[in-house]
Amino acid sequence: MSKEVLDTVVCAETPEGIAIELRPSGLSARAFAYLLDFLIRFGVLYAVAIVTSIMGGFGVGLLLILWFGLEWFYPVVFELSRWGATPGKRVLGIKVVMDNGLPITPAASITRNLLRTADFLPALYGFGVISMLLRRDFKRLGDIAANTLVVYQPAPPP
């Protein structure tokens, strides 16, 4: 078996003409990052649910608004931060970048996260997992549409 078949390094060229190597993150690292982020979101919702439980219907409304915000904007806000990653991704040493290795743009982050719904279908990220397993760069549908890549962060120099 040749080395090219096993190698998952993606070469990209920056606008300045500098060639860089990106190492795409695989399914397991991304799944663990998602699980950590899910636990963080669940913890926030649980804490707010305890506080808003005394507010009756108004508290339920606040909780639903928070749930919507966390589900749709949590990844976007963190991906647009200087780290380019949610807390779960940061723990695992991965981040989201554009295909050319530059930081992710707001439009790309919104696009890739809106398409998480399509990746989720038919159940438990079925289409997203299939897409990742069929591609050498492990892109899910949202990454393909947004021209983004989830990569391992390079180790800092000693």
Side-chain angles (χ1 to χ4, degrees), residues 134-148:
L134 291 177
R135 294 183 56 96
R136 199 170 156 212
D137 53 7
F138 303 109
K139 285 187 175 189
R140 62 177 181 79
L141 301 175
D143 293 320
I144 295 167
N147 295 321
T148 57

PDB file of all heavy atoms in Angstrom, residues 134-148:
ATOM      1  N   LEU A 134     -16.140   9.171   3.598  1.00  0.00           N
ATOM      2  CA  LEU A 134     -15.908   9.017   2.168  1.00  0.00           C
ATOM      3  C   LEU A 134     -14.886  10.002   1.613  1.00  0.00           C
ATOM      4  O   LEU A 134     -14.452   9.853   0.474  1.00  0.00           O
ATOM      5  CB  LEU A 134     -17.228   9.174   1.396  1.00  0.00           C
ATOM      6  CG  LEU A 134     -18.241   8.054   1.600  1.00  0.00           C
ATOM      7  CD1 LEU A 134     -19.523   8.361   0.852  1.00  0.00           C
ATOM      8  CD2 LEU A 134     -17.667   6.712   1.184  1.00  0.00           C
ATOM      9  N   ARG A 135     -14.518  10.989   2.405  1.00  0.00           N
ATOM     10  CA  ARG A 135     -13.599  12.020   1.918  1.00  0.00           C
ATOM     11  C   ARG A 135     -12.244  11.912   2.614  1.00  0.00           C
ATOM     12  O   ARG A 135     -12.167  11.653   3.810  1.00  0.00           O
ATOM     13  CB  ARG A 135     -14.182  13.411   2.151  1.00  0.00           C
ATOM     14  CG  ARG A 135     -15.441  13.675   1.324  1.00  0.00           C
ATOM     15  CD  ARG A 135     -15.921  15.077   1.549  1.00  0.00           C
ATOM     16  NE  ARG A 135     -14.904  16.062   1.264  1.00  0.00           N
ATOM     17  CZ  ARG A 135     -14.791  16.705   0.097  1.00  0.00           C
ATOM     18  NH1 ARG A 135     -15.618  16.440  -0.875  1.00  0.00           N
ATOM     19  NH2 ARG A 135     -13.853  17.619  -0.066  1.00  0.00           N
ATOM     20  N   ARG A 136     -11.213  12.175   1.872  1.00  0.00           N
ATOM     21  CA  ARG A 136      -9.858  12.127   2.408  1.00  0.00           C
ATOM     22  C   ARG A 136      -9.590  13.248   3.409  1.00  0.00           C
ATOM     23  O   ARG A 136      -8.763  13.117   4.310  1.00  0.00           O
ATOM     24  CB  ARG A 136      -8.892  12.243   1.240  1.00  0.00           C
ATOM     25  CG  ARG A 136      -7.544  11.771   1.544  1.00  0.00           C
ATOM     26  CD  ARG A 136      -6.720  11.691   0.304  1.00  0.00           C
ATOM     27  NE  ARG A 136      -5.356  11.785   0.746  1.00  0.00           N
ATOM     28  CZ  ARG A 136      -4.397  12.330   0.067  1.00  0.00           C
ATOM     29  NH1 ARG A 136      -4.629  12.835  -1.100  1.00  0.00           N
ATOM     30  NH2 ARG A 136      -3.187  12.370   0.559  1.00  0.00           N
ATOM     31  N   ASP A 137     -10.307  14.376   3.246  1.00  0.00           N
ATOM     32  CA  ASP A 137     -10.110  15.518   4.145  1.00  0.00           C
ATOM     33  C   ASP A 137     -11.141  15.542   5.277  1.00  0.00           C
ATOM     34  O   ASP A 137     -11.205  16.493   6.035  1.00  0.00           O
ATOM     35  CB  ASP A 137     -10.133  16.835   3.371  1.00  0.00           C
ATOM     36  CG  ASP A 137     -11.381  16.990   2.518  1.00  0.00           C
ATOM     37  OD1 ASP A 137     -12.304  16.153   2.603  1.00  0.00           O
ATOM     38  OD2 ASP A 137     -11.441  17.973   1.752  1.00  0.00           O
ATOM     39  N   PHE A 138     -11.952  14.509   5.407  1.00  0.00           N
ATOM     40  CA  PHE A 138     -12.928  14.330   6.492  1.00  0.00           C
ATOM     41  C   PHE A 138     -13.913  15.487   6.619  1.00  0.00           C
ATOM     42  O   PHE A 138     -14.289  15.884   7.715  1.00  0.00           O
ATOM     43  CB  PHE A 138     -12.227  14.108   7.838  1.00  0.00           C
ATOM     44  CG  PHE A 138     -11.299  12.940   7.848  1.00  0.00           C
ATOM     45  CD1 PHE A 138      -9.933  13.122   7.897  1.00  0.00           C
ATOM     46  CD2 PHE A 138     -11.793  11.654   7.789  1.00  0.00           C
ATOM     47  CE1 PHE A 138      -9.060  12.045   7.892  1.00  0.00           C
ATOM     48  CE2 PHE A 138     -10.933  10.568   7.783  1.00  0.00           C
ATOM     49  CZ  PHE A 138      -9.566  10.765   7.836  1.00  0.00           C
ATOM     50  N   LYS A 139     -14.354  16.027   5.497  1.00  0.00           N
ATOM     51  CA  LYS A 139     -15.314  17.126   5.532  1.00  0.00           C
ATOM     52  C   LYS A 139     -16.735  16.590   5.633  1.00  0.00           C
ATOM     53  O   LYS A 139     -17.104  15.662   4.935  1.00  0.00           O
ATOM     54  CB  LYS A 139     -15.215  17.974   4.264  1.00  0.00           C
ATOM     55  CG  LYS A 139     -14.021  18.866   4.209  1.00  0.00           C
ATOM     56  CD  LYS A 139     -14.127  19.766   3.008  1.00  0.00           C
ATOM     57  CE  LYS A 139     -13.022  20.777   2.955  1.00  0.00           C
ATOM     58  NZ  LYS A 139     -13.262  21.770   1.918  1.00  0.00           N
ATOM     59  N   ARG A 140     -17.531  17.218   6.489  1.00  0.00           N
ATOM     60  CA  ARG A 140     -18.966  16.926   6.506  1.00  0.00           C
ATOM     61  C   ARG A 140     -19.641  17.868   5.527  1.00  0.00           C
ATOM     62  O   ARG A 140     -18.992  18.731   4.933  1.00  0.00           O
ATOM     63  CB  ARG A 140     -19.524  17.030   7.924  1.00  0.00           C
ATOM     64  CG  ARG A 140     -19.421  18.379   8.567  1.00  0.00           C
ATOM     65  CD  ARG A 140     -20.073  18.386   9.948  1.00  0.00           C
ATOM     66  NE  ARG A 140     -20.001  19.674  10.584  1.00  0.00           N
ATOM     67  CZ  ARG A 140     -20.789  20.696  10.310  1.00  0.00           C
ATOM     68  NH1 ARG A 140     -21.727  20.586   9.410  1.00  0.00           N
ATOM     69  NH2 ARG A 140     -20.647  21.840  10.942  1.00  0.00           N
ATOM     70  N   LEU A 141     -20.944  17.717   5.338  1.00  0.00           N
ATOM     71  CA  LEU A 141     -21.652  18.514   4.341  1.00  0.00           C
ATOM     72  C   LEU A 141     -21.504  20.012   4.588  1.00  0.00           C
ATOM     73  O   LEU A 141     -21.323  20.788   3.659  1.00  0.00           O
ATOM     74  CB  LEU A 141     -23.129  18.120   4.313  1.00  0.00           C
ATOM     75  CG  LEU A 141     -23.409  16.646   3.983  1.00  0.00           C
ATOM     76  CD1 LEU A 141     -24.904  16.354   4.095  1.00  0.00           C
ATOM     77  CD2 LEU A 141     -22.880  16.285   2.625  1.00  0.00           C
ATOM     78  N   GLY A 142     -21.581  20.436   5.843  1.00  0.00           N
ATOM     79  CA  GLY A 142     -21.431  21.853   6.165  1.00  0.00           C
ATOM     80  C   GLY A 142     -20.053  22.385   5.804  1.00  0.00           C
ATOM     81  O   GLY A 142     -19.911  23.520   5.348  1.00  0.00           O
ATOM     82  N   ASP A 143     -19.026  21.567   5.994  1.00  0.00           N
ATOM     83  CA  ASP A 143     -17.665  21.982   5.631  1.00  0.00           C
ATOM     84  C   ASP A 143     -17.511  22.101   4.124  1.00  0.00           C
ATOM     85  O   ASP A 143     -16.821  22.995   3.634  1.00  0.00           O
ATOM     86  CB  ASP A 143     -16.632  20.989   6.174  1.00  0.00           C
ATOM     87  CG  ASP A 143     -16.546  20.998   7.686  1.00  0.00           C
ATOM     88  OD1 ASP A 143     -16.610  22.096   8.267  1.00  0.00           O
ATOM     89  OD2 ASP A 143     -16.425  19.917   8.280  1.00  0.00           O
ATOM     90  N   ILE A 144     -18.135  21.203   3.390  1.00  0.00           N
ATOM     91  CA  ILE A 144     -18.055  21.248   1.933  1.00  0.00           C
ATOM     92  C   ILE A 144     -18.701  22.536   1.423  1.00  0.00           C
ATOM     93  O   ILE A 144     -18.131  23.254   0.597  1.00  0.00           O
ATOM     94  CB  ILE A 144     -18.731  20.011   1.308  1.00  0.00           C
ATOM     95  CG1 ILE A 144     -17.958  18.746   1.684  1.00  0.00           C
ATOM     96  CG2 ILE A 144     -18.826  20.154  -0.204  1.00  0.00           C
ATOM     97  CD1 ILE A 144     -18.691  17.460   1.387  1.00  0.00           C
ATOM     98  N   ALA A 145     -19.894  22.840   1.944  1.00  0.00           N
ATOM     99  CA  ALA A 145     -20.615  24.036   1.494  1.00  0.00           C
ATOM    100  C   ALA A 145     -19.903  25.326   1.885  1.00  0.00           C
ATOM    101  O   ALA A 145     -19.924  26.309   1.141  1.00  0.00           O
ATOM    102  CB  ALA A 145     -22.029  24.037   2.064  1.00  0.00           C
ATOM    103  N   ALA A 146     -19.254  25.347   3.032  1.00  0.00           N
ATOM    104  CA  ALA A 146     -18.620  26.570   3.531  1.00  0.00           C
ATOM    105  C   ALA A 146     -17.141  26.679   3.165  1.00  0.00           C
ATOM    106  O   ALA A 146     -16.489  27.671   3.499  1.00  0.00           O
ATOM    107  CB  ALA A 146     -18.770  26.643   5.050  1.00  0.00           C
ATOM    108  N   ASN A 147     -16.589  25.668   2.499  1.00  0.00           N
ATOM    109  CA  ASN A 147     -15.162  25.642   2.165  1.00  0.00           C
ATOM    110  C   ASN A 147     -14.292  25.765   3.414  1.00  0.00           C
ATOM    111  O   ASN A 147     -13.351  26.556   3.467  1.00  0.00           O
ATOM    112  CB  ASN A 147     -14.789  26.737   1.160  1.00  0.00           C
ATOM    113  CG  ASN A 147     -15.444  26.522  -0.177  1.00  0.00           C
ATOM    114  OD1 ASN A 147     -15.555  25.385  -0.636  1.00  0.00           O
ATOM    115  ND2 ASN A 147     -15.888  27.594  -0.790  1.00  0.00           N
ATOM    116  N   THR A 148     -14.648  24.987   4.425  1.00  0.00           N
ATOM    117  CA  THR A 148     -13.883  24.992   5.669  1.00  0.00           C
ATOM    118  C   THR A 148     -13.288  23.619   5.920  1.00  0.00           C
ATOM    119  O   THR A 148     -13.651  22.637   5.286  1.00  0.00           O
ATOM    120  CB  THR A 148     -14.777  25.377   6.868  1.00  0.00           C
ATOM    121  OG1 THR A 148     -15.880  24.483   6.962  1.00  0.00           O
ATOM    122  CG2 THR A 148     -15.259  26.805   6.748  1.00  0.00           C
TER     123      THR A 148
END
